[in-house]
Amino acid sequence: MSTTGATADPPPGSRKSSNSGDPLAALGSLPGVSDSVESVRKAVDRVYKHRVMRRRSNEITSEAALRGARGSAALSGADWALEEVRRRSDFGSGDEARTVGAALRLSAEAGQLLSVWRQSPLRVLARLHLVAAADQADQVGRPRKEGEPVDEPSIGLPLPDAAEAHGRLEGLADLVIAGSSAPALVTAAVVHGELLALRPFTSHNGLLARTAERIVLVGSGLDPKSVCPAEVGHAELGQEAYLAALAGYVSGTPEGVASWIVHCGRAVELGARESTAVCEALQRGAA
C-alpha cells in the first residue's frame, strides 16, 4: 500500500508481499495513527492499574467477554440488552438468538486459540467459523466456494469473488505469520478490516472479524487479560460509523486506512472505559 500517493491501492493483505519489508509498520505513520496508538495504550493502562484488577481480574475478564459478545452481536443485527444476554440460556431458536449464541461461543473460544494464531491464522479462522456456524452442514469451517452466497447484507460493500478472497486471505495469513513491528492496534485493525472486506465464509464474517481483532489485541500483549473489549466500543460508536470507516479501509487510500485504524482505536478505548466502569462498580460493591 502506498502511504504517500493519491492512488488507491489494495489494503495490506490483499496480495502476498514479495518484498522483505514490513508492510504493516508503514501504516503506523499515517495521519492520526500514532496519536491513536498512544491514546489506546493510556486507556488500557488505566484499566490494568485499577486496584480491583489486582484481586478480581478474572471477574473483569468474564464480564468483558460477555459485554464484548453482546456488542458484536448487536453489530450483526441482534441488539439485545446486556441483562437479556446474561439471563438467557437457550440460543437455538430465532435468527437473533442464534447470532447472540454464536457471539458468546466465539468469545469463549478465542482465548483457547491464542497460541495457534501466530503459527496458523487460517486454522484459527476455520475453527472460529466451525464454532459460530455449527448448523450450516458442509459450509462450516471452510472458506466459501465460487457461487456460494454470503449471508451478510448489512456490510453493503462489493464482495470479492471466491478466488480473490482465497488469495487475499492467504496474503493476510502470511503477514500474520511473518510478524510485524507495527503496533498491535494497527495489526488488529488490518486483520479486522480485511476479514470484513473479504467475507471469506458464507456467514458470520462480522463476528469472526471482531473475534480475530480481539485475538490480536490479547495475543500481542496489549491487553493480555482481555479486559478491553473493542466490540463494546464498535457497538457504541454505531453501525453507520463502523461501515463508513470500513469503506475507508476498503478504498485503500492512506486517509481511508488511517480513519479505519483510528476508528478501531477509539473502539478499544471505549472498551477499556467500559471495564473501568465495571471495576468502579465492583469497588463500590454495586456489581
Side-chain angles (χ1 to χ4, degrees):
M1 162 178 282
S2 169
T3 60
T4 57
T7 302
D9 292 331
S14 61
R15 58 182 180 275
K16 293 186 180 181
S17 175
S18 60
N19 58 50
S20 58
D22 186 350
L24 296 182
L27 302 182
S29 63
L30 291 175
V33 171
S34 62
D35 289 342
S36 182
V37 168
E38 180 63 14
S39 184
V40 165
R41 185 190 64 78
K42 290 179 179 178
V44 173
D45 282 350
R46 279 193 292 272
V47 180
Y48 278 82
K49 289 178 180 177
H50 198 285
R51 61 187 300 177
V52 170
M53 282 291 293
R54 299 174 195 164
R55 50 195 170 82
R56 303 182 72 175
S57 64
N58 288 343
E59 292 176 65
I60 307 302
T61 296
S62 295
E63 187 66 18
L66 180 71
R67 295 179 184 224
R70 192 219 72 83
S72 191
L75 285 169
S76 287
D79 192 0
W80 287 16
L82 178 63
E83 290 312 312
E84 177 67 7
V85 178
R86 195 190 305 279
R87 180 188 67 81
R88 285 283 289 268
S89 58
D90 176 15
F91 298 96
S93 177
D95 290 344
E96 288 194 6
R98 283 191 285 270
T99 296
V100 174
L104 289 167
R105 292 193 300 274
L106 288 173
S107 186
E109 187 73 13
Q112 312 301 315
L113 299 172
L114 294 171
S115 62
V116 183
W117 173 256
R118 283 294 300 271
Q119 286 74 41
S120 185
L122 296 181
R123 179 180 163 196
V124 169
L125 293 173
R127 172 61 185 170
L128 291 175
H129 190 251
L130 180 66
V131 167
D135 58 349
Q136 286 188 280
D138 64 329
Q139 296 177 341
V140 169
R142 61 160 178 79
R144 56 186 165 90
K145 297 176 181 178
E146 202 63 54
E148 288 183 332
V150 174
D151 183 20
E152 239 147 345
S154 63
I155 293 179
L157 293 170
L159 181 69
D161 64 32
E164 180 183 353
H166 290 188
R168 288 172 58 177
L169 192 62
E170 289 182 4
L172 179 64
D174 287 349
L175 289 178
V176 171
I177 293 168
S180 174
S181 63
L185 172 63
V186 171
T187 303
V190 168
V191 167
H192 184 172
E194 194 70 359
L195 290 173
L196 282 177
L198 297 179
R199 282 149 287 166
F201 298 94
T202 57
S203 67
H204 298 88
N205 292 289
L207 296 178
L208 264 66
R210 292 183 286 274
T211 303
E213 179 185 48
R214 175 184 289 203
I215 287 173
V216 174
L217 293 170
V218 174
S220 68
L222 175 65
D223 179 21
K225 294 183 182 294
S226 193
V227 296
C228 302
E231 305 97 319
V232 168
H234 286 303
E236 184 173 337
L237 291 168
Q239 188 173 54
E240 184 177 347
Y242 183 65
L243 295 179
L246 175 62
Y249 174 83
V250 171
S251 77
T253 65
E255 297 81 8
V257 174
S259 70
W260 170 250
I261 296 171
V262 170
H263 184 87
C264 290
R266 182 59 181 149
V268 177
E269 290 181 60
L270 291 171
R273 186 182 72 178
E274 183 89 353
S275 285
T276 300
V278 172
C279 287
E280 293 293 329
L282 287 171
Q283 185 167 278
R284 296 191 304 269

